[in-house]
Amino acid sequence: MPEAQPQIVKKGAELILTIESLAFGGQGVARVDNFVIFIKNAIPGQTVRALIYKKRKGFAEGRAVEILKNTSNWVKPVCEHFPVCGGCKVQQLAYDQQVAEKMQQVKDIFRRQARLIDFEVAKVIPAENIFHYRNKMEFTFSNRRWILKDEPQDSSNTFALGLHIPGRFDKILNINSCHIMPEKGDAILRRVRELSTQLGLKPYDVRTHNGFLRHLMLRFGFNTGDLMVNFVTSYENPDLLQPMVETLITEFPEITTLVNNINTRKADVAFGEYELLLFGQPAIKEKIGDLIFEISANSFFQTNTLQAENLYTCALEVADLKGHEIVYDLYCGTGSISLFLAQKAREVHGFEVIVSAVEDAVRNGVRNGIGNAYFHVANLDKYFKQHRKLKNIPPPDVIIVDPPRAGMHKDMVSALPLLGAEKIIYVSCNPATQARDTLVMLENGYELKSVSMVDMFPHTPHIETVAVFQRKLRVTSDK
């Protein structure tokens, strides 16, 4: 038999590859002579024919064009939009294997970036509900709809309400149903799309910056039944929205809050400079454990209510509070973790840059009868660099930090060890930045005691971890 020809990795080549694992981000990992290739829409155990569309010095990228051999871990995706949408990158992988791959990713990241050769994940908490779990969804209006391959060439593309096509800031995929949000949201989403076109409301154009409708945000109270609809528009004109509002509250009596955020800036964010209340209460309520939280449109709250309780319980367990501790909660949002910890601490001080979130946190403390939690407006990118000693706030024994996906600002990372806490609990939705910051902690007198993983986002590449740092004992000389 003739010898097999060696496979040459170059742009435009089609290669036969066996997928070994999942990379952080959800792409399959294959190798040709130890050269790493990341493959979209492929899962471990598959053999695929892949088209290489990018090659760099240390790696290449491609996409699977044909599955030559499947794996027993493959499952049929339930969503009509998979994989075009790109939100659920691994819906075709059995859930237990999703969790196993995420755990391996965390191990690899900490071993490589934090230089911890023997690192292991201490605890893994999978999700019980792997569909319909998100309590917040943001959809985008656009006059640049993504046309699917099987649609006629002359299909209209002038109106869309859905999610961004991966890698395209200007193309929106119409979403009919999203299997990771409550089913009631699908009906509202479809009805808003119908009403918008019937009423002649113009979607915002991200290139020309003309148009009215920018985003539709939905928030759900899983344990309370509350439901928020938030329209983000490019300018204020409540009269344009009034027919929509009247129809929605009539057809969907579950809606308890309807607001309009006005974002006049060019930045494509579902966050307004100010807000108008169009119907109901200005916020929804949610219950986690024995606590009730008030959540306004622009406040951060963990997007998986059921797993949030497991996350907070995990943080409370590793904090191991005895009742005398001063706790700082950095990036506290609406105060959910703060109030959980306040039940076991002497005092908790929460710090957050978003004023509306701090206001929510204060109200949440009052609502739950918790008087030992205090909340402060603070830009944590520079706050502790400028305020090494805080007036009227005692120094912390325990710090819990839960930064956004990009991680902590470098000034916050460098200031964190200087606050002198005995224990630091780092909650993260990005283990890569968490591992990066771990190096700083290790170099400044702390040791990493454990890392636990809570799967908040089934079918997506996102990972939530809880790291525990303990300050090393100071050894003094007798001389």
Side-chain angles (χ1 to χ4, degrees):
M1 292 181 64
E3 292 186 7
Q5 294 296 313
Q7 300 199 96
I8 307 299
V9 182
K10 61 181 181 179
K11 185 176 179 180
E14 285 197 358
L15 307 178
I16 307 302
L17 302 172
T18 297
I19 307 303
E20 302 173 3
S21 61
L22 275 186
F24 180 57
Q27 293 181 316
V29 178
R31 286 178 171 83
V32 172
D33 297 328
N34 290 322
F35 187 84
V36 176
I37 308 174
F38 298 104
I39 304 298
K40 285 184 177 180
N41 305 329
I43 58 176
Q46 288 181 331
T47 299
V48 302
R49 184 187 307 278
L51 173 67
I52 306 302
Y53 58 79
K54 181 187 295 184
K55 184 181 179 184
R56 294 291 184 263
K57 183 176 181 180
F59 67 94
E61 294 183 39
R63 62 175 177 272
V65 296
E66 183 182 2
I67 298 174
L68 302 176
K69 180 183 176 182
N70 216 337
T71 169
S72 59
N73 291 319
W74 181 89
V75 295
K76 184 178 180 180
V78 300
C79 181
E80 65 177 290
H81 304 297
F82 181 87
V84 179
C85 166
C88 295
K89 293 186 182 296
V90 289
Q91 202 179 100
Q92 80 279 39
L93 181 62
Y95 180 62
D96 60 341
Q97 287 303 119
Q98 292 182 31
V99 175
E101 290 291 335
K102 287 183 178 182
M103 182 179 69
Q104 187 61 48
Q105 290 168 21
V106 174
K107 288 169 62 175
D108 292 343
I109 288 169
F110 272 82
R111 289 177 179 180
R112 183 176 64 254
Q113 295 191 25
R115 304 170 193 164
L116 299 171
I117 298 174
D118 299 322
F119 174 85
E120 296 288 343
V121 177
K123 185 178 182 181
V124 176
I125 304 174
E128 292 185 17
N129 294 352
I130 64 173
F131 291 109
H132 309 300
Y133 59 82
R134 281 193 67 102
N135 59 34
K136 176 188 175 185
M137 286 294 298
E138 294 177 3
F139 299 100
T140 300
F141 292 94
S142 176
N143 64 338
R144 300 172 185 271
R145 184 175 73 86
W146 180 260
I147 302 296
L148 298 171
K149 291 181 179 179
D150 57 355
E151 290 187 79
Q153 291 284 335
D154 58 351
S155 296
S156 173
N157 66 346
T158 58
F159 192 97
L161 175 56
L163 299 172
H164 283 270
I165 288 290
R168 294 294 301 265
F169 79 96
D170 61 338
K171 291 292 186 179
I172 299 299
L173 174 69
N174 256 348
I175 299 294
N176 296 315
S177 61
C178 177
H179 287 266
I180 60 174
M181 78 169 174
E183 293 176 278
K184 180 57 66 177
D186 296 334
I188 295 174
L189 173 68
R190 292 191 293 265
R191 192 67 175 113
V192 168
R193 183 186 295 120
E194 292 172 356
L195 289 168
S196 299
T197 55
Q198 290 172 10
L199 295 169
L201 301 179
K202 301 297 183 182
Y204 186 77
D205 187 326
V206 293
R207 292 187 180 275
T208 65
H209 306 292
N210 294 318
F212 180 59
L213 297 173
R214 299 191 68 162
H215 299 279
L216 171 70
M217 177 199 290
L218 304 176
R219 279 189 182 270
F220 307 87
F222 271 69
N223 294 320
T224 62
D226 284 3
L227 200 164
M228 173 190 289
V229 177
N230 173 22
F231 289 103
V232 181
T233 60
S234 61
Y235 55 89
E236 179 182 336
N237 191 334
D239 291 341
L240 287 179
L241 289 175
Q242 193 57 37
M244 175 99 69
V245 171
E246 291 175 357
T247 302
L248 289 178
I249 61 178
T250 299
E251 295 184 2
F252 301 97
E254 303 93 334
I255 295 174
T256 55
T257 299
L258 213 156
V259 296
N260 174 205
N261 269 258
I262 290 86
N263 175 16
T264 65
R265 298 160 297 184
K266 292 182 179 180
D268 187 28
V269 293
F271 189 101
E273 296 143 78
Y274 63 98
E275 179 177 297
L276 304 176
L277 178 63
L278 303 179
F279 170 78
Q281 302 299 314
I284 65 168
K285 299 180 183 66
E286 181 60 293
K287 184 177 182 181
I288 296 183
D290 296 327
L291 301 177
I292 296 178
F293 298 97
E294 191 170 291
I295 310 162
S296 57
N298 296 321
S299 296
F300 171 78
F301 195 81
Q302 290 290 345
T303 52
N304 185 333
T305 300
L306 304 180
Q307 279 294 79
E309 184 166 356
N310 288 328
L311 178 69
Y312 297 164
T313 299
C314 179
L316 189 59
E317 287 176 354
V318 296
D320 192 26
L321 300 174
K322 306 301 183 185
H324 63 271
E325 296 90 351
I326 303 297
V327 179
Y328 284 9
D329 180 9
L330 310 185
Y331 309 92
C332 69
T334 58
S336 50
I337 296 181
S338 299
L339 299 179
F340 250 73
L341 298 180
Q343 298 173 95
K344 299 288 185 180
R346 185 175 127 204
E347 287 182 17
V348 175
H349 292 268
F351 300 85
E352 169 63 51
V353 67
I354 299 175
V355 175
S356 63
V358 172
E359 292 170 347
D360 285 348
V362 172
R363 284 193 294 268
N364 288 332
V366 173
R367 177 180 299 280
N368 289 283
I370 296 175
N372 62 332
Y374 309 91
F375 298 97
H376 314 273
V377 177
N379 182 350
L380 292 171
D381 288 355
K382 54 188 177 182
Y383 185 79
F384 285 105
K385 183 179 181 181
Q386 298 174 345
H387 304 83
R388 291 291 173 83
K389 291 185 178 180
L390 304 181
K391 294 181 179 179
N392 303 319
I393 303 177
D397 302 299
V398 176
I399 294 175
I400 186 160
V401 54
D402 186 5
R405 195 173 304 282
M408 290 184 283
H409 187 275
K410 62 180 181 179
D411 288 342
M412 183 67 249
V413 177
S414 59
L416 193 56
L418 302 179
L419 296 175
E422 289 295 323
K423 183 180 288 186
I424 296 175
I425 301 164
Y426 190 152
V427 179
S428 175
C429 57
N430 187 343
T433 53
Q434 187 182 44
R436 176 202 67 193
D437 296 342
T438 292
L439 269 179
V440 179
M441 302 301 298
L442 298 179
E443 293 167 355
N444 285 274
Y446 285 85
E447 58 182 334
L448 179 63
K449 303 298 290 185
S450 68
V451 174
S452 300
M453 187 184 96
V454 183
D455 188 25
M456 306 283 287
F457 315 105
H459 310 301
T460 80
H462 304 304
I463 302 173
E464 195 90 12
T465 47
V466 181
V468 183
F469 297 92
Q470 186 76 42
R471 191 166 64 171
K472 295 178 182 178
L473 293 175
R474 292 185 177 89
V475 180
T476 57
S477 172
D478 293 333
K479 294 181 181 180

